[in-house]
Amino acid sequence: GASPGSWSLYILGLLAGKGSVTGADLNMPDKALAARKGYRFIQGDFTTAEVVAAILAAGPYDVVVSDAAPSTTGNRTMDTERSLELARQVLAIAGKTLRPGGNLTLKIFQGGGEKEILDAMRASFALARAFKPKASRSDSMETYFVGTGFHR
């Protein structure tokens, strides 16, 4: 969920050359981002074993940020379930790649099943909560879950 790359650019700016960002997505990032120092890109589906292996090999990570969203169908039930499945995958990868004390932010579509994800995050993080940014439209079904203080 890293393309076109606005989150990656933002994080690279915060790091100010004192770290790196690894992005993974089906689509290539913006060319300017791909050329940035400190940026590594893995193209492919992060739910496949091959891409997960590449993500694991590039870790461990202090922070995992996922802006992944399914291609929407217009069927809210189907779209939210597909979003939940992506969130489950992100949690599984984060559990294998985060350093102790690390943080996670993931996007999820609201629709009834997100409690499962938040409960799983609460079991693995010192603090986990939902967060809807002011920049997000009020009628949007997407929200973010933030977990801080990862522990195994």
Side-chain angles (χ1 to χ4, degrees):
S3 200
S6 55
W7 276 109
S8 296
L9 280 171
Y10 177 75
I11 294 166
L12 281 169
L14 290 175
L15 293 173
K18 296 183 176 131
S20 64
V21 172
T22 299
D25 201 291
L26 293 169
N27 301 309
M28 289 296 292
D30 178 81
K31 288 181 183 179
L33 171 61
R36 291 276 303 262
K37 182 181 176 196
Y39 187 71
R40 177 178 343 151
F41 184 73
I42 301 164
Q43 185 172 15
D45 182 342
F46 76 89
T47 66
T48 65
E50 177 184 358
V51 174
V52 169
I55 292 169
L56 294 172
Y61 303 100
D62 295 314
V63 178
V64 171
V65 176
S66 173
D67 199 35
S71 297
T72 55
T73 64
N75 178 319
R76 187 175 175 118
T77 302
M78 182 181 295
D79 293 343
T80 56
E81 183 53 43
R82 291 171 70 199
S83 172
L84 286 169
E85 185 52 37
L86 289 176
R88 289 180 193 110
Q89 294 283 342
V90 170
L91 275 174
I93 292 169
K96 294 175 185 174
T97 62
L98 274 175
R99 287 188 174 104
N103 303 317
L104 168 66
T105 298
L106 62 84
K107 179 167 60 179
I108 191 163
F109 291 170
Q110 297 172 302
E114 61 272 8
K115 182 181 180 315
E116 165 202 339
I117 302 300
L118 196 53
D119 286 347
M121 289 179 68
R122 287 183 173 138
S124 298
F125 292 87
L127 176 67
R129 67 182 187 96
F131 174 75
K132 186 145 179 109
K134 290 179 184 175
S136 183
R137 295 184 325 266
S138 61
D139 63 339
S140 172
M141 64 182 186
E142 68 182 37
T143 194
Y144 291 84
F145 287 174
V146 178
T148 58
F150 175 71
H151 53 83
R152 298 197 190 275

